[in-house]
Amino acid sequence: MAQELTHDDFINNDTVKKCLSDLKAAYPAGGKSFVVSDVIDDKGNQYVNLVQKGGGVLGIALVGYTYILEEMGIRFIRLAGTSAGAINTALMVATGTKQDAKSIPVLDAICKLEFIKLVDGHPAARWLISKFITHVDFGKRIKSWIRAILGTLAMLLVGDFVFLGLQHSLPWISVFTKVFFVLTGLCLLIVAGVITYVDTLLKRFKNSGIGINPGDFFYDWIKQQLADNGVTTVTDLNNKATSPVPGLHLRVPNPEELKGLDGDVTFITSELVSQNKIQFPEMWYLFRKTIDALQPAGFIRASMSIPVFFESYFINEIPCDDEDIKKLWLDKFGETDPPSSARFVDGGILSNFPINLFYNPKVITPRLPSFGIDLDDSAPGDVGKHAIKWTLLGYFGRIFNTIRFYYDKDFLLKNKVFKKGIGTIHLNGYNWLNFFLTNEDKINMFVKGAEAAADFLKTFDWNDYKEDRDKMRKELLKEQTPTTITPEK
């Protein structure tokens, strides 16, 4: 059994320490100022908004990224995330106060978590998942096993007919006939057993919410993490997210002053019955009459419900006949017939990188930037433009990514300034569904996150970001202002 990691194994890594020392050298005390925001507190922390992208177990890299940000005195006002990004976001909101660094407590929680327990489905499915994910050639081995079984069965059947025909003229061959018939029967029993077992698993799969793993272990784990930090209700979660920061003030004057800087948290999930993107905890009112009738752990469980891998998350007994609820659904989504049960899957299907949540069109000159952490695990052959070289997984990955990234990509294309706040962690070679990670893999992903954050901070220019955002808003206002047409004389 592998030795349990501690947060020291991550933060004392030589590469991580070098990332920090290089940043400190680039911004020495009394030298070049490290400025990423105009919103600061009485301790000198600088505040930004943060969105974290979904990506399964790759979420460990997100913690490496935020660790570097926090070590450089960066804290967070508004947070949002999808799937793995929602998990990190939830832990960061629940832990301590806004002025506290969160990454080390989050690391402690991750170190104590046995990832393999998240795969809490049927033992056979668990075994197959572990083999398919951790062994690159396992798919080929399965095919060779199937060919061998079918080939053996075909050979036995041919032998049955041959020996059965020959034993009339050669009586001594009847011994071989009996042996072949017995072997054929055993082979058919094995095939029938496998088919029956697979059929049982498929029925179980269908009846359990079209998911291999129930996700119960994760739900209980995240619920306990929240409770350990004093979050047991949605009200507790909102209070943590909106809690004021002592001594919060602006570095330079801004017409908006501190308006709208109360903070919030958003977890993105996809609701299949009404086919809508749901933002929790904001949209709790669509599903219950009172806010604390829902469990905040369910919001994160809904956001990380990877289709097929995990069962869908359900909210049942929605008071859909209540006139107030019906009006809320109508006003929000134009739904005249709200569902009585809602079924949620991974928010990444609709918005895996919801940085658009932080865009406020009323603000001309920003007071703080919106930072985003992107995860890129594309294989080298699958990221190029030469489609003929893509692998089969790369091909299907492109189809899925085209759907789930379009909405976020469309926003970034229209609001290019937000790209200046996004750092990308390159994780080629890591499988986002590999819940059987080694300790070395976990540390390496954390390191890659730290390196990406250091590279980002070395190039981020707050004044440049602010000027571009100011320019973008003014151009937008110009486009929205009707042109005065001089009447013809």
Side-chain angles (χ1 to χ4, degrees):
M1 183 176 178
Q3 183 178 355
E4 184 176 292
L5 293 171
T6 69
H7 67 251
D8 287 330
D9 294 310
F10 293 86
I11 65 175
N12 288 331
N13 178 275
D14 289 340
T15 303
V16 174
K17 291 196 290 187
K18 187 175 187 305
C19 287
L20 278 175
S21 63
D22 287 350
L23 283 170
K24 301 288 186 183
Y27 303 99
K32 181 182 176 183
S33 297
F34 177 68
V35 179
V36 297
S37 172
D38 286 339
V39 181
I40 57 178
D41 65 19
D42 53 8
K43 293 183 178 180
N45 295 315
Q46 304 183 70
Y47 287 79
V48 304
N49 296 325
L50 180 69
V51 61
Q52 301 182 70
K53 187 177 184 180
V57 297
L58 306 183
I60 297 172
L62 297 173
V63 188
Y65 198 105
T66 57
Y67 171 72
I68 295 296
L69 297 186
E70 291 185 326
E71 287 298 300
M72 292 301 292
I74 298 172
R75 300 292 186 265
F76 314 103
I77 292 286
R78 304 179 65 194
L79 293 108
T82 301
S83 196
I87 298 170
N88 284 6
T89 294
L91 294 174
M92 291 177 71
V93 169
T95 304
T97 69
K98 278 190 167 64
Q99 288 183 305
D100 297 329
K102 315 296 185 78
S103 297
I104 289 181
V106 171
L107 269 178
D108 286 334
I110 291 174
C111 288
K112 294 174 184 175
L113 173 63
E114 294 182 58
F115 280 43
I116 192 172
K117 289 186 177 180
L118 295 171
V119 186
D120 56 353
H122 191 279
R126 183 171 175 163
W127 179 80
L128 281 172
I129 289 170
S130 69
K131 295 301 180 183
F132 270 109
I133 288 174
T134 58
H135 298 282
V136 177
D137 64 341
F138 191 71
K140 295 178 181 177
R141 288 169 61 187
I142 287 288
K143 290 179 183 177
S144 66
W145 291 349
I146 292 173
R147 290 194 193 102
I149 292 172
L150 294 178
T152 300
L153 180 60
M155 186 175 66
L156 288 171
L157 288 171
V158 170
D160 289 338
F161 284 108
V162 170
F163 288 124
L164 187 63
L166 290 176
Q167 72 178 11
H168 294 292
S169 55
L170 301 170
W172 59 270
I173 287 182
S174 62
V175 176
F176 293 97
T177 304
K178 293 176 183 177
V179 170
F180 263 69
F181 265 90
V182 170
L183 291 175
T184 302
L186 287 173
C187 193
L188 286 171
L189 280 174
I190 291 172
V191 171
V194 170
I195 291 173
T196 302
Y197 188 57
V198 170
D199 181 62
T200 302
L201 290 178
L202 288 174
K203 288 177 180 176
R204 178 190 178 103
F205 176 69
K206 179 183 178 182
N207 295 334
S208 64
I210 316 296
I212 297 171
N213 300 291
D216 295 336
F217 180 85
F218 171 80
Y219 178 87
D220 292 338
W221 178 80
I222 194 66
K223 182 180 179 181
Q224 188 61 54
Q225 297 305 310
L226 295 177
D228 289 346
N229 287 282
V231 176
T232 58
T233 66
V234 179
T235 298
D236 293 334
L237 179 68
N238 284 334
N239 287 342
K240 281 270 191 176
T242 60
S243 60
V245 178
L248 194 70
H249 61 280
L250 297 179
R251 188 192 308 275
V252 297
N254 188 295
E256 296 293 322
E257 297 180 335
L258 294 178
K259 288 185 293 186
L261 295 180
D262 299 326
D264 59 28
V265 62
T266 303
F267 311 114
I268 303 296
T269 184
S270 306
E271 203 288 301
L272 298 184
V273 179
S274 64
Q275 302 176 52
N276 287 304
K277 180 179 78 171
I278 302 297
Q279 297 172 194
F280 282 130
E282 176 193 347
M283 297 181 186
W284 68 267
Y285 54 80
L286 297 173
F287 306 96
R288 289 291 185 268
K289 293 284 287 181
T290 57
I291 188 169
D292 289 331
L294 292 173
Q295 167 56 238
F299 300 159
I300 301 97
R301 171 66 178 83
S303 183
M304 58 73 71
S305 300
I306 302 167
V308 180
F309 196 88
F310 286 111
E311 293 178 13
S312 305
Y313 180 76
F314 289 86
I315 293 180
N316 297 313
E317 299 179 356
I318 300 170
C320 56
D321 293 327
D322 183 272
E323 291 303 319
D324 291 334
I325 295 287
K326 290 173 74 172
K327 185 177 186 306
L328 289 167
W329 275 91
L330 181 64
D331 292 344
K332 189 66 183 179
F333 294 122
E335 295 281 352
T336 57
D337 184 23
S340 58
S341 292
R343 181 174 191 164
F344 301 93
V345 294
D346 197 308
I349 290 177
L350 295 176
S351 180
N352 205 36
F353 194 56
I355 200 166
N356 63 296
L357 294 173
F358 301 144
Y359 174 51
N360 184 350
K362 296 179 181 179
V363 174
I364 295 178
T365 303
R367 296 156 292 177
L368 76 173
S370 293
F371 281 1
I373 313 175
D374 189 14
L375 297 171
D376 181 12
D377 61 338
S378 303
D382 297 330
V383 299
K385 302 297 182 184
H386 302 292
I388 196 67
K389 295 183 179 180
W390 295 346
T391 63
L392 181 62
L393 286 176
Y395 168 72
F396 285 109
R398 284 284 182 130
I399 294 174
F400 185 55
N401 288 343
T402 298
I403 298 168
R404 67 181 182 142
F405 291 156
Y406 178 78
Y407 182 79
D408 300 326
K409 185 177 180 180
D410 184 58
F411 172 80
L412 289 171
L413 286 172
K414 294 175 181 176
N415 304 275
K416 293 183 174 62
V417 66
F418 280 87
K419 289 184 178 180
K420 293 180 179 290
I422 298 173
T424 301
I425 308 173
H426 296 286
L427 294 160
N428 172 39
Y430 293 96
N431 189 320
W432 64 292
L433 284 177
N434 184 8
F435 288 85
F436 304 84
L437 289 171
T438 65
N439 286 345
E440 183 181 4
D441 287 334
K442 295 175 184 178
I443 293 172
N444 286 342
M445 283 197 286
F446 181 89
V447 170
K448 286 183 177 294
E451 290 177 312
D455 291 341
F456 169 75
L457 290 179
K458 288 174 186 175
T459 59
F460 179 74
D461 187 320
W462 167 233
N463 287 325
D464 183 45
Y465 181 102
K466 189 160 51 171
E467 288 173 7
D468 280 4
R469 175 65 174 78
D470 190 12
K471 189 185 302 181
M472 182 189 81
R473 177 61 183 132
K474 287 176 179 176
E475 289 176 355
L476 184 60
L477 282 173
K478 192 182 297 183
E479 291 175 6
Q480 292 175 342
T481 303
T483 304
T484 302
I485 300 175
T486 304
E488 295 182 5
K489 294 183 180 179

